[in-house]
Amino acid sequence: GFDIAIVGKQGNHHCVVAQELAERHGRRCVVIERPEDTVAISPGDSGHWVLVGQVTGNTVVFDAVIERVRAARLPVTVFRTMCGDSRTRQRHAEELARSSDVVVLIDDGGGAAQSVYEVCARHNASIHRVASKADIQRDWFDGAARVAVVGGILVPEWTIDEFAERVRELGA
């Protein structure tokens, strides 16, 4: 068996289930929220670890954790368990955040939106989380030449299009 290192957020249901599973089988489980947390995996461990990710977790952090684990030659087998849609959505959101003056993030209320927020915030300080079109403020776009509208994997494209239309209506 394996001990589990899961990249995600404490309290996220995927992480909680991993912790319960490990406990049920007499194994360890650590939640890794940032690359520095890999110190919980000791290179001298007699056991072997598996590294997995919260399904909708931050793929940038997951990749950084993998790099750190490999550089430290930790006894870890990596399984890329993060949703492919999450990875794609986060990559596109990151590209848009880099090239935009303002980012409007449609918050679906789940972990996917938080992960997209974290990825975007690394490249753009002007990011606004909204739950409805009514939350969008005209003054966010003062002086902005380019606005990106993004959402987590639970936000359908048609919803993103509707929110983008609202941004255009406000003159952005």
Side-chain angles (χ1 to χ4, degrees):
F2 291 101
D3 292 317
I4 302 169
I6 182 166
V7 179
K9 297 288 185 191
Q10 288 287 352
N12 172 274
H13 67 279
H14 297 119
C15 298
V16 170
V17 168
Q19 290 169 317
E20 290 170 353
L21 182 67
E23 185 178 331
R24 193 173 326 134
H25 294 280
R27 306 304 303 198
R28 295 173 288 179
C29 180
V30 296
V31 177
I32 298 177
E33 293 190 349
R34 43 187 216 284
E36 298 79 29
D37 295 341
T38 56
V39 297
I41 305 169
S42 171
D45 267 343
S46 58
H48 194 78
W49 290 82
V50 62
L51 178 69
V52 297
Q54 172 187 318
V55 176
T56 57
N58 184 322
T59 59
V60 173
V61 171
F62 188 71
D63 292 343
V65 168
I66 291 171
E67 287 178 29
R68 189 169 282 232
V69 161
R70 289 187 175 147
R73 298 181 177 269
L74 295 173
V76 175
T77 299
V78 176
F79 288 102
R80 294 186 177 272
T81 57
M82 292 182 148
C83 172
D85 288 341
S86 287
R87 185 169 288 281
T88 300
R89 183 73 60 110
Q90 289 177 36
R91 186 177 64 246
H92 289 143
E94 180 179 29
E95 291 167 6
L96 289 169
R98 286 178 193 226
S99 63
S100 299
D101 301 307
V102 177
V103 177
V104 175
L105 170 62
I106 305 165
D107 192 337
D108 57 23
Q114 179 61 32
S115 298
V116 172
Y117 176 85
E118 292 169 0
V119 168
C120 289
R122 291 173 50 132
H123 304 287
N124 194 316
S126 184
I127 183 168
H128 304 279
R129 292 175 81 154
V130 297
S132 73
K133 292 183 280 188
D135 295 338
I136 301 171
Q137 309 279 323
R138 181 185 307 273
D139 63 324
W140 294 344
F141 313 117
D142 291 345
R146 186 164 180 190
V147 177
V149 179
V150 299
I153 63 167
L154 300 178
V155 177
E157 289 296 322
W158 60 266
T159 299
I160 293 173
D161 293 343
E162 286 180 1
F163 276 65
E165 180 58 33
R166 177 66 182 142
V167 168
R168 284 190 287 277
E169 289 171 2
L170 292 172

Coordinates of all heavy atoms in Angstrom, one line a residue, residues 45-101:
D45 N 11.7 8.0 4.6 CA 10.6 7.1 4.9 C 10.8 5.7 4.4 O 11.3 5.5 3.3 CB 9.3 7.7 4.3 CG 8.5 8.6 5.2 OD1 8.8 8.6 6.4 OD2 7.7 9.4 4.7
S46 N 10.4 4.8 5.3 CA 10.4 3.4 4.8 C 9.3 3.0 3.9 O 9.3 2.1 3.2 CB 10.4 2.5 6.0 OG 9.3 2.7 6.8
G47 N 8.2 3.9 4.0 CA 7.0 3.6 3.1 C 7.2 4.3 1.8 O 8.1 5.0 1.5
H48 N 6.2 4.0 1.0 CA 6.2 4.7 -0.3 C 4.9 5.5 -0.4 O 3.9 5.1 0.0 CB 6.2 3.6 -1.5 CG 6.5 4.2 -2.8 ND1 7.8 4.6 -3.2 CD2 5.7 4.6 -3.8 CE1 7.8 5.1 -4.4 NE2 6.5 5.1 -4.8
W49 N 5.1 6.7 -1.0 CA 4.0 7.6 -1.1 C 3.4 7.7 -2.6 O 4.1 7.4 -3.5 CB 4.5 9.0 -0.8 CG 4.8 9.2 0.6 CD1 6.0 8.8 1.3 CD2 4.0 9.8 1.6 NE1 5.9 9.2 2.6 CE2 4.7 9.8 2.9 CE3 2.7 10.4 1.6 CZ2 4.2 10.3 4.0 CZ3 2.2 10.9 2.8 CH2 2.9 10.8 4.0
V50 N 2.2 8.0 -2.7 CA 1.5 8.3 -3.9 C 1.1 9.8 -3.9 O 0.6 10.2 -2.8 CB 0.4 7.3 -4.3 CG1 -0.8 7.5 -3.3 CG2 -0.2 7.6 -5.7
L51 N 1.4 10.5 -4.9 CA 1.0 11.9 -5.0 C -0.2 12.0 -6.0 O -0.1 11.6 -7.1 CB 2.1 12.8 -5.5 CG 1.8 14.3 -5.7 CD1 1.6 14.9 -4.3 CD2 2.9 15.0 -6.5
V52 N -1.3 12.5 -5.5 CA -2.5 12.7 -6.3 C -3.0 14.2 -6.1 O -2.4 14.9 -5.2 CB -3.7 11.8 -5.9 CG1 -3.3 10.3 -6.1 CG2 -4.1 12.0 -4.4
G53 N -3.9 14.6 -6.9 CA -4.4 16.0 -6.7 C -5.9 16.0 -6.6 O -6.6 15.2 -7.1
Q54 N -6.3 17.0 -5.8 CA -7.8 17.3 -5.7 C -8.3 17.5 -7.1 O -7.7 18.2 -7.9 CB -7.9 18.6 -4.8 CG -9.3 19.1 -4.8 CD -9.3 20.5 -4.0 OE1 -8.6 20.6 -3.0 NE2 -10.0 21.4 -4.6
V55 N -9.4 16.9 -7.5 CA -9.8 16.8 -8.8 C -9.9 18.2 -9.5 O -9.5 18.3 -10.6 CB -11.2 16.1 -8.9 CG1 -11.7 16.1 -10.3 CG2 -11.1 14.6 -8.5
T56 N -10.4 19.2 -8.8 CA -10.5 20.5 -9.3 C -9.5 21.5 -8.8 O -9.6 22.7 -8.8 CB -11.9 21.1 -9.0 OG1 -12.1 21.1 -7.6 CG2 -13.0 20.3 -9.7
G57 N -8.4 20.9 -8.3 CA -7.4 21.7 -7.6 C -6.5 22.6 -8.6 O -6.7 22.5 -9.8
N58 N -5.7 23.3 -8.0 CA -4.8 24.2 -8.7 C -3.7 23.5 -9.4 O -2.8 22.9 -8.8 CB -4.2 25.2 -7.7 CG -3.4 26.3 -8.3 OD1 -2.6 26.1 -9.3 ND2 -3.5 27.5 -7.8
T59 N -3.8 23.4 -10.7 CA -2.8 22.6 -11.5 C -1.4 23.2 -11.5 O -0.4 22.5 -11.6 CB -3.3 22.5 -13.0 OG1 -3.5 23.7 -13.6 CG2 -4.6 21.7 -13.0
V60 N -1.3 24.5 -11.3 CA 0.0 25.2 -11.3 C 0.7 24.7 -10.0 O 1.9 24.3 -10.0 CB -0.1 26.7 -11.3 CG1 1.2 27.4 -11.1 CG2 -0.7 27.1 -12.7
V61 N 0.0 24.7 -8.9 CA 0.6 24.2 -7.6 C 1.0 22.7 -7.8 O 2.0 22.3 -7.3 CB -0.3 24.4 -6.4 CG1 0.1 23.7 -5.2 CG2 -0.5 25.9 -6.2
F62 N 0.1 21.9 -8.3 CA 0.3 20.5 -8.5 C 1.6 20.3 -9.3 O 2.5 19.5 -8.9 CB -0.9 19.8 -9.2 CG -0.8 18.3 -9.3 CD1 -1.0 17.6 -8.2 CD2 -0.6 17.7 -10.5 CE1 -0.9 16.2 -8.2 CE2 -0.5 16.3 -10.6 CZ -0.7 15.5 -9.4
D63 N 1.8 21.0 -10.4 CA 3.0 20.9 -11.2 C 4.3 21.3 -10.4 O 5.3 20.6 -10.5 CB 2.9 21.7 -12.5 CG 1.9 21.1 -13.5 OD1 1.5 19.9 -13.3 OD2 1.4 21.8 -14.4
A64 N 4.1 22.3 -9.6 CA 5.3 22.8 -8.8 C 5.6 21.8 -7.7 O 6.8 21.6 -7.4 CB 4.9 24.1 -8.1
V65 N 4.6 21.1 -7.2 CA 4.8 20.1 -6.2 C 5.6 18.9 -6.8 O 6.5 18.3 -6.2 CB 3.5 19.6 -5.5 CG1 3.7 18.3 -4.7 CG2 2.9 20.7 -4.6
I66 N 5.1 18.5 -8.0 CA 5.8 17.4 -8.7 C 7.3 17.8 -8.9 O 8.2 16.9 -8.7 CB 5.1 17.1 -10.1 CG1 3.7 16.5 -9.9 CG2 6.0 16.2 -11.0 CD1 2.9 16.4 -11.1
E67 N 7.6 19.0 -9.4 CA 9.0 19.4 -9.6 C 9.8 19.3 -8.3 O 10.9 18.8 -8.3 CB 9.0 20.8 -10.1 CG 8.6 21.0 -11.5 CD 8.6 22.4 -12.0 OE1 9.5 23.2 -11.4 OE2 7.8 22.8 -12.8
R68 N 9.2 19.7 -7.2 CA 9.9 19.7 -5.9 C 10.1 18.2 -5.4 O 11.2 17.9 -4.9 CB 9.1 20.5 -4.8 CG 9.8 20.6 -3.5 CD 9.1 21.6 -2.6 NE 9.4 23.0 -3.1 CZ 9.8 23.9 -2.3 NH1 10.0 23.7 -1.1 NH2 10.0 25.1 -2.8
V69 N 9.1 17.4 -5.6 CA 9.2 16.0 -5.2 C 10.4 15.3 -6.0 O 11.2 14.6 -5.5 CB 7.9 15.3 -5.4 CG1 8.1 13.7 -5.5 CG2 6.9 15.6 -4.3
R70 N 10.4 15.6 -7.3 CA 11.4 15.0 -8.2 C 12.8 15.5 -7.9 O 13.8 14.7 -7.8 CB 11.1 15.2 -9.6 CG 9.9 14.3 -10.1 CD 9.6 14.4 -11.5 NE 8.5 13.5 -11.8 CZ 7.6 13.6 -12.8 NH1 7.7 14.7 -13.5 NH2 6.7 12.7 -13.0
A71 N 12.9 16.8 -7.6 CA 14.2 17.4 -7.3 C 14.8 16.8 -6.0 O 16.0 16.7 -5.8 CB 14.1 18.9 -7.2
A72 N 13.9 16.6 -5.0 CA 14.3 16.0 -3.7 C 14.4 14.5 -3.7 O 14.8 13.9 -2.7 CB 13.3 16.4 -2.6
R73 N 14.1 13.9 -4.9 CA 14.2 12.4 -5.0 C 13.4 11.7 -3.9 O 13.9 10.8 -3.3 CB 15.6 11.9 -5.1 CG 16.4 12.5 -6.2 CD 17.8 11.9 -6.3 NE 18.5 12.4 -7.4 CZ 18.6 11.7 -8.6 NH1 17.9 10.6 -8.7 NH2 19.3 12.2 -9.6
L74 N 12.2 12.2 -3.7 CA 11.3 11.6 -2.6 C 10.7 10.3 -3.1 O 10.5 10.2 -4.3 CB 10.3 12.6 -2.2 CG 10.8 13.9 -1.5 CD1 9.6 14.9 -1.3 CD2 11.4 13.6 -0.2
P75 N 10.5 9.4 -2.2 CA 9.9 8.1 -2.6 C 8.4 8.2 -3.0 O 7.5 7.8 -2.2 CB 10.1 7.2 -1.4 CG 10.1 8.2 -0.3 CD 10.7 9.5 -0.8
V76 N 8.1 8.9 -4.1 CA 6.7 9.2 -4.5 C 6.4 8.8 -5.9 O 7.2 9.0 -6.8 CB 6.5 10.7 -4.3 CG1 5.1 11.1 -4.8 CG2 6.7 11.2 -2.9
T77 N 5.3 8.1 -6.1 CA 4.7 7.8 -7.4 C 3.6 8.8 -7.7 O 2.8 9.1 -6.8 CB 4.1 6.4 -7.4 OG1 5.2 5.5 -7.1 CG2 3.5 6.1 -8.8
V78 N 3.7 9.5 -8.8 CA 2.8 10.5 -9.2 C 1.6 10.0 -10.1 O 1.9 9.3 -11.0 CB 3.5 11.7 -9.9 CG1 2.5 12.7 -10.4 CG2 4.6 12.3 -9.1
F79 N 0.4 10.3 -9.7 CA -0.8 10.0 -10.5 C -1.5 11.3 -10.7 O -1.8 12.0 -9.8 CB -1.7 9.0 -9.8 CG -1.2 7.6 -9.7 CD1 -0.7 7.1 -8.5 CD2 -1.3 6.8 -10.8 CE1 -0.2 5.8 -8.4 CE2 -0.8 5.5 -10.7 CZ -0.3 5.0 -9.5
R80 N -1.6 11.6 -12.0 CA -2.3 12.9 -12.4 C -3.8 12.6 -12.3 O -4.4 12.3 -13.3 CB -1.8 13.3 -13.8 CG -0.3 13.7 -13.8 CD 0.1 14.3 -15.1 NE 1.5 14.7 -15.1 CZ 1.9 15.9 -14.7 NH1 1.0 16.8 -14.3 NH2 3.1 16.2 -14.7
T81 N -4.3 12.9 -11.2 CA -5.8 12.7 -11.0 C -6.6 13.9 -11.2 O -7.8 13.8 -11.1 CB -6.0 12.2 -9.5 OG1 -5.5 13.1 -8.6 CG2 -5.3 10.8 -9.3
M82 N -6.0 15.0 -11.5 CA -6.8 16.2 -11.7 C -7.5 16.2 -13.0 O -7.0 15.6 -14.0 CB -5.8 17.5 -11.6 CG -5.3 17.7 -10.3 SD -4.3 19.2 -10.2 CE -4.6 19.7 -8.6
C83 N -8.7 16.7 -13.0 CA -9.6 16.7 -14.1 C -8.9 17.4 -15.3 O -8.4 18.5 -15.2 CB -10.9 17.4 -13.7 SG -12.0 17.7 -15.1
G84 N -8.9 16.8 -16.5 CA -8.4 17.4 -17.7 C -9.0 18.7 -18.0 O -8.4 19.7 -18.5
D85 N -10.3 18.8 -17.8 CA -11.0 20.1 -18.0 C -10.5 21.2 -17.1 O -10.4 22.3 -17.5 CB -12.6 19.9 -17.8 CG -13.2 19.1 -19.0 OD1 -12.6 19.0 -20.0 OD2 -14.3 18.5 -18.7
S86 N -10.3 20.8 -15.8 CA -9.7 21.8 -14.9 C -8.4 22.3 -15.4 O -8.1 23.5 -15.4 CB -9.5 21.2 -13.5 OG -10.7 21.0 -12.9
R87 N -7.5 21.4 -15.9 CA -6.2 21.8 -16.4 C -6.3 22.7 -17.6 O -5.7 23.8 -17.6 CB -5.4 20.6 -16.7 CG -4.0 20.9 -17.1 CD -3.1 19.6 -17.2 NE -2.8 19.0 -15.9 CZ -1.9 19.5 -15.1 NH1 -1.2 20.5 -15.5 NH2 -1.6 18.9 -14.0
T88 N -7.2 22.4 -18.5 CA -7.4 23.2 -19.7 C -8.0 24.6 -19.3 O -7.5 25.6 -19.8 CB -8.3 22.5 -20.7 OG1 -7.7 21.2 -21.1 CG2 -8.6 23.3 -21.9
R89 N -9.0 24.6 -18.5 CA -9.7 25.8 -18.1 C -8.7 26.7 -17.4 O -8.6 27.9 -17.6 CB -10.9 25.5 -17.3 CG -11.7 26.7 -16.9 CD -12.6 27.4 -17.9 NE -13.6 26.6 -18.6 CZ -14.9 26.7 -18.4 NH1 -15.4 27.6 -17.6 NH2 -15.7 25.9 -19.1
Q90 N -7.9 26.2 -16.5 CA -6.9 27.0 -15.8 C -5.8 27.5 -16.7 O -5.4 28.7 -16.5 CB -6.3 26.2 -14.6 CG -7.3 25.9 -13.5 CD -6.7 25.0 -12.4 OE1 -5.5 25.1 -12.1 NE2 -7.5 24.2 -11.8
R91 N -5.4 26.7 -17.6 CA -4.3 27.2 -18.6 C -4.8 28.3 -19.4 O -4.1 29.4 -19.6 CB -3.9 26.0 -19.5 CG -2.7 26.4 -20.4 CD -2.2 25.3 -21.2 NE -3.2 24.8 -22.2 CZ -3.8 23.6 -22.1 NH1 -3.5 22.7 -21.2 NH2 -4.7 23.3 -23.0
H92 N -6.1 28.2 -19.9 CA -6.6 29.3 -20.7 C -6.9 30.6 -19.9 O -6.6 31.7 -20.3 CB -7.9 28.9 -21.4 CG -7.7 27.9 -22.5 ND1 -8.6 26.9 -22.7 CD2 -6.7 27.8 -23.4 CE1 -8.1 26.1 -23.7 NE2 -7.0 26.7 -24.2
A93 N -7.4 30.4 -18.6 CA -7.6 31.5 -17.7 C -6.3 32.2 -17.4 O -6.2 33.4 -17.4 CB -8.3 31.0 -16.5
E94 N -5.2 31.4 -17.2 CA -3.9 32.0 -16.9 C -3.4 32.9 -18.1 O -2.9 34.0 -17.9 CB -2.9 30.9 -16.6 CG -1.5 31.4 -16.4 CD -0.5 30.3 -16.0 OE1 -0.7 29.2 -16.6 OE2 0.4 30.6 -15.3
E95 N -3.6 32.4 -19.3 CA -3.2 33.1 -20.5 C -4.0 34.4 -20.6 O -3.4 35.5 -20.9 CB -3.4 32.3 -21.8 CG -2.5 31.1 -21.9 CD -2.9 30.1 -23.0 OE1 -3.8 30.3 -23.7 OE2 -2.2 29.0 -23.0
L96 N -5.3 34.3 -20.4 CA -6.1 35.5 -20.4 C -5.7 36.5 -19.3 O -5.7 37.8 -19.6 CB -7.6 35.2 -20.3 CG -8.2 34.5 -21.5 CD1 -9.6 33.9 -21.2 CD2 -8.3 35.4 -22.7
A97 N -5.5 36.1 -18.1 CA -5.1 36.9 -17.0 C -3.8 37.7 -17.4 O -3.7 38.9 -17.0 CB -4.9 36.1 -15.7
R98 N -2.9 37.0 -18.0 CA -1.6 37.7 -18.4 C -1.8 38.8 -19.4 O -1.0 39.8 -19.4 CB -0.6 36.6 -19.0 CG 0.0 35.7 -18.0 CD 0.9 34.7 -18.7 NE 1.2 33.6 -17.8 CZ 2.4 33.1 -17.7 NH1 3.4 33.7 -18.4 NH2 2.6 32.2 -16.9
S99 N -2.8 38.6 -20.3 CA -2.9 39.6 -21.4 C -4.1 40.6 -21.2 O -4.4 41.3 -22.1 CB -3.1 38.8 -22.7 OG -4.3 38.0 -22.6
S100 N -4.7 40.6 -20.0 CA -5.8 41.4 -19.8 C -5.5 42.4 -18.7 O -4.7 42.2 -17.8 CB -7.1 40.6 -19.4 OG -7.4 39.7 -20.5
D101 N -6.3 43.5 -18.7 CA -6.1 44.5 -17.6 C -7.0 44.2 -16.4 O -6.7 44.5 -15.3 CB -6.5 45.9 -18.2 CG -5.7 46.3 -19.3 OD1 -4.4 46.3 -19.2 OD2 -6.3 46.7 -20.4

